[in-house]
Amino acid sequence: MSSDRPVGPLAGIRVLDLTHVLNGPFCTMLLAHMGADVIKVEHGAGDRFRHSWMPVDAGRDGYESLVVNANKRCVTLNLKDPRGGELFERLVAESDVVVENFSVGVMDRLGYGYDRLKEINPEIVYARSSGYGNDGPYADVPAFAVTIMAISGWTDSAWKTSGHPGSKPLGMGDEAAGISMALGICAALVERERSGVGTSLDVSMQEAQMGFMVSSFHTFFEKQEVATHPAECADGFVSFHMPDLDDRRWTRFCNSMGHPEGVEDPQFLTLQDRRINFAQLMLRVREWVKERTRDELWETFRTEKIPGAPVLGLGEVIEDDHIRKRGTFLEVEHPEAGTVTMLRPWIRFDGRDTTIRYAGPGIGEHNHEVYGELFGLSAKDIDQLSADGVL
């Protein structure tokens, strides 16, 4: 195995990554960041997501593809070729997990549904994700994040929050399902340690998206809005949380804002009073906020331990002092894209170097490494298989 592969609690786990676009690759990216040996399997032109949202004449992979395929190895393989099928079965026998997010039924038509995979390797964990799950009336309907956000209620909830119907919602239709599938895979691996056999799991993007909408469902069922909108200040916006400020912090906040009269206002004397008169409270606080700059308010929030923060642009986030000192972003060199700024793996394990060793690999970049390492194939053998269309 490459010496530059990351370490982590999933070290020693091999994952066959048959995924494409963003939902599945986001899942396997998390597994790779946690130390799994993720082998991305492609054929022909490869994952079409490599060039999504890029100029039509772009000669390299786009940022999203470089990010979600970081820390993975990539091989090519033609599953429709008999020799390709043999190699795939050997890969399955040497692996712990197979992940795919094809349309429902594709793997079965290729002859590699879960029943066949567990014949090859009874310990295999088979994870699949699709727009609407493996059964139900919509199971065979194609889906993308934008359609899933629409039919899950996410888009409408975002419009109600913003007050701008028809606008593009900032969503996580792919990411929510990817996170859910990665968590399911980890749970299945734990179960396998106990039982000695693998299992299959199915993640619906629609249901996963709704799983991340607890606050929206609270608003729907309780008829009570959750959280508050950011407030305008002298030079931008800040966001803060007022409903649960105890009396001590409320007093300190009023004094630090230069409005000690807020402490004695009968509408706001106690936490219960402030909750009952929350609308009036927010009107008052919003007026105070307009008098200060973001930096002044951020200093107040930090000093008085008030749960609040400035609304930052992405460029400001990257340059933020805390983010820099945490090493949250990394500069990763890529042969085609040059220096790429990427988010460091955010699940950190004590004493382990959670980092990005390399951005998303090229199509078939690790053919010689993987097939030579696992099956002892020579460079000449691998080149011939490529020439024959097997790889």
Side-chain angles (χ1 to χ4, degrees):
M1 187 179 297
S2 299
S3 60
D4 64 349
R5 292 208 60 255
V7 296
L10 293 184
I13 297 295
R14 180 171 294 120
V15 178
L16 284 189
D17 179 1
L18 308 183
T19 66
H20 60 287
V21 188
L22 183 54
N23 165 14
F26 194 86
C27 162
T28 51
M29 174 197 74
L30 293 174
L31 301 178
H33 287 348
M34 291 188 285
D37 176 20
V38 176
I39 300 174
K40 184 176 178 66
V41 180
E42 296 179 277
H43 178 59
D47 185 346
R48 66 184 184 277
F49 192 59
R50 285 181 175 272
H51 305 296
S52 292
W53 312 115
M54 293 289 286
V56 293
D57 59 348
R60 63 172 179 82
D61 296 342
Y63 182 85
E64 284 188 281
S65 178
L66 295 175
V67 168
V68 298
N69 290 304
N71 287 338
K72 302 177 186 178
R73 299 197 284 180
C74 181
V75 301
T76 50
L77 188 60
N78 183 2
L79 292 181
K80 295 181 179 179
D81 184 288
R83 286 179 293 172
E86 290 179 12
L87 282 174
F88 179 68
E89 292 187 11
R90 293 176 70 181
L91 284 171
V92 171
E94 296 290 333
S95 298
D96 300 279
V97 182
V98 172
V99 189
E100 57 100 344
N101 64 323
F102 296 122
S103 297
V104 173
V106 167
M107 287 294 285
D108 289 309
R109 290 194 293 274
L110 288 170
Y112 294 113
Y114 177 56
D115 287 343
R116 174 58 185 144
L117 294 182
K118 66 181 179 180
E119 287 179 357
I120 300 168
N121 182 352
E123 296 185 1
I124 202 73
V125 170
Y126 176 46
R128 59 194 168 202
S129 178
S130 58
Y132 302 97
N134 204 45
D135 55 19
Y138 304 158
D140 62 350
V141 177
F144 286 88
V146 64
T147 63
I148 290 302
M149 290 189 296
I151 202 168
S152 67
W154 178 281
T155 299
D156 183 68
S157 295
W159 288 348
K160 284 183 169 60
T161 299
S162 68
H164 294 287
S167 61
K168 176 185 176 181
L170 181 63
M172 49 186 295
D174 286 303
E175 293 91 334
I179 292 169
S180 301
M181 188 156 57
L183 178 61
I185 288 168
C186 290
L189 290 171
V190 171
E191 182 185 52
R192 190 185 69 176
E193 286 297 304
R194 299 169 180 159
S195 67
V197 296
T199 189
S200 67
L201 59 102
D202 170 41
V203 174
S204 154
M205 290 175 65
Q206 183 187 33
E207 293 169 359
Q209 181 70 86
M210 290 190 286
F212 282 74
M213 294 173 60
V214 175
S215 295
S216 296
F217 281 113
H218 175 92
T219 299
F220 177 78
F221 287 115
E222 299 290 355
K223 312 303 180 189
Q224 296 289 324
E225 187 174 354
V226 175
T228 56
H229 299 281
E232 187 173 4
C233 61
D235 61 350
F237 288 85
V238 293
S239 188
F240 48 82
H241 186 78
M242 286 287 154
D244 299 312
L245 279 192
D246 58 32
D247 295 342
R248 178 174 55 88
R249 287 187 178 177
W250 170 247
T251 298
R252 284 164 41 188
F253 177 68
C254 291
N255 291 331
S256 66
M257 293 294 289
H259 289 278
E261 73 277 6
V263 178
E264 303 300 328
D265 192 311
Q267 298 181 98
F268 312 137
L269 286 177
T270 67
L271 178 59
Q272 184 68 12
D273 292 328
R274 293 191 291 277
R275 285 179 173 171
I276 292 172
N277 299 300
F278 186 66
Q280 294 89 336
L281 173 74
M282 290 309 300
L283 286 173
R284 185 77 59 85
V285 171
R286 285 177 183 277
E287 289 301 316
W288 298 349
V289 165
K290 288 180 181 179
E291 302 168 357
R292 305 292 182 94
T293 65
R294 286 190 312 171
D295 286 345
E296 290 170 340
L297 290 164
W298 182 217
E299 180 63 27
T300 295
F301 294 153
R302 294 168 64 187
T303 301
E304 304 301 336
K305 301 297 186 291
I306 305 298
V311 176
L312 300 181
L314 293 182
E316 293 176 303
V317 172
I318 293 172
E319 296 298 326
D320 182 75
D321 185 56
H322 178 80
I323 292 297
R324 281 185 169 277
K325 288 179 177 175
R326 289 268 298 170
T328 301
F329 285 92
L330 304 171
E331 301 293 324
V332 181
E333 296 302 321
H334 187 269
E336 294 178 343
T339 302
V340 183
T341 300
M342 302 176 71
L343 185 67
R344 174 184 174 179
W346 56 93
I347 304 173
R348 305 189 186 190
F349 300 93
D350 185 37
R352 296 186 174 103
D353 181 20
T354 53
T355 190
I356 294 177
R357 307 294 182 178
Y358 48 85
I363 299 174
E365 181 176 328
H366 297 99
N367 277 353
H368 286 81
E369 179 178 300
V370 171
Y371 292 127
E373 172 191 305
L374 295 185
F375 308 138
L377 297 181
S378 68
K380 182 179 179 180
D381 292 334
I382 295 168
D383 289 340
Q384 187 62 54
L385 288 171
S386 296
D388 294 344
V390 178
L391 303 184

